[in-house]
Amino acid sequence: MRVGRLLAALSPPVLALAVILSFGTGRVDHESMRPTLESGDAVVFDRLLPAQRGDVVVVADPADWSTTSDATLVKRVIAVGGDRVVCCEVGTLRLIVNGVPVDEDYVFDTDRPGGSIPFDLTVPESSLWLVGDNRAASHDSRTELSSEGGGAVPESAVLGVVRFVVPR
């Protein structure tokens, strides 16, 4: 009986600690994810679940993509390790991942959803290829094509997957 009371007493603090360790918060400081996220929005991110294609992630600035030191960025995962990314589909200019054009109804700039520079690359293992939804205002994997890994970001740089948004 004492063990049951002890467990009941410890459960709320243990649960609270688990939640605190599993989730983080951040603030969007740029227009690169419009219209999905606006500058000033707060995000809650999950530190435990791995990022997948289509997820919005919070990432430690991988290669000085921001002008702010020690910045954290919010970007969308387009491809994961081993995926082939090609720009762009003839006619629609959509990105192609593993031979399939990516439907991106969240893209702010629909004129050139894949960008303006043609490329064909394979994302290195344990890496992600990230872009902003507002392609014209986003410094992302597309703008780092000439860097090692073709602009891919190590999975270890991902702080978490965005799960909730609190609008400004």
Side-chain angles (χ1 to χ4, degrees):
M1 195 66 159
R2 287 185 189 173
V3 172
R5 287 185 190 159
L6 179 61
L7 286 176
L10 288 177
S11 292
V14 169
L15 180 61
L17 182 61
V19 168
I20 289 169
L21 294 175
S22 299
F23 293 92
T25 60
R27 184 160 305 279
V28 178
D29 293 331
H30 196 268
E31 300 296 323
S32 71
M33 283 301 292
R34 287 184 68 209
T36 306
L37 299 169
E38 299 286 339
S39 185
D41 287 352
V43 295
V44 176
F45 57 89
D46 183 332
R47 291 182 171 125
L48 300 179
L49 293 179
Q52 300 176 33
R53 281 182 219 93
D55 284 342
V56 174
V57 296
V58 177
V59 61
D61 191 350
D64 296 325
W65 288 1
S66 171
T67 56
T68 307
S69 63
D70 298 326
T72 54
L73 307 173
V74 182
K75 301 292 179 189
R76 186 173 302 275
V77 178
I78 293 297
V80 300
D83 285 349
R84 180 177 175 216
V85 184
V86 177
C87 179
C88 292
E89 181 184 47
V90 175
T92 66
L93 302 176
R94 294 183 297 178
L95 290 170
I96 300 168
V97 176
N98 299 327
V100 179
V102 181
D103 288 322
E104 299 180 280
D105 57 350
Y106 44 77
V107 172
F108 184 72
D109 178 10
T110 57
D111 290 340
R112 298 197 64 85
S116 58
I117 301 170
F119 59 86
D120 184 337
L121 62 90
T122 299
V123 179
E125 291 301 325
S126 302
S127 298
L128 303 171
W129 208 76
L130 309 174
V131 297
D133 290 355
N134 183 358
R135 304 290 159 82
S138 182
H139 193 109
D140 52 40
S141 292
R142 295 169 307 123
T143 57
E144 294 294 322
L145 290 170
S146 63
S147 68
E148 187 176 336
V153 175
E155 289 175 349
S156 61
V158 174
L159 303 176
V161 177
V162 173
R163 295 294 176 215
F164 306 103
V165 178
V166 181
R168 60 182 161 133

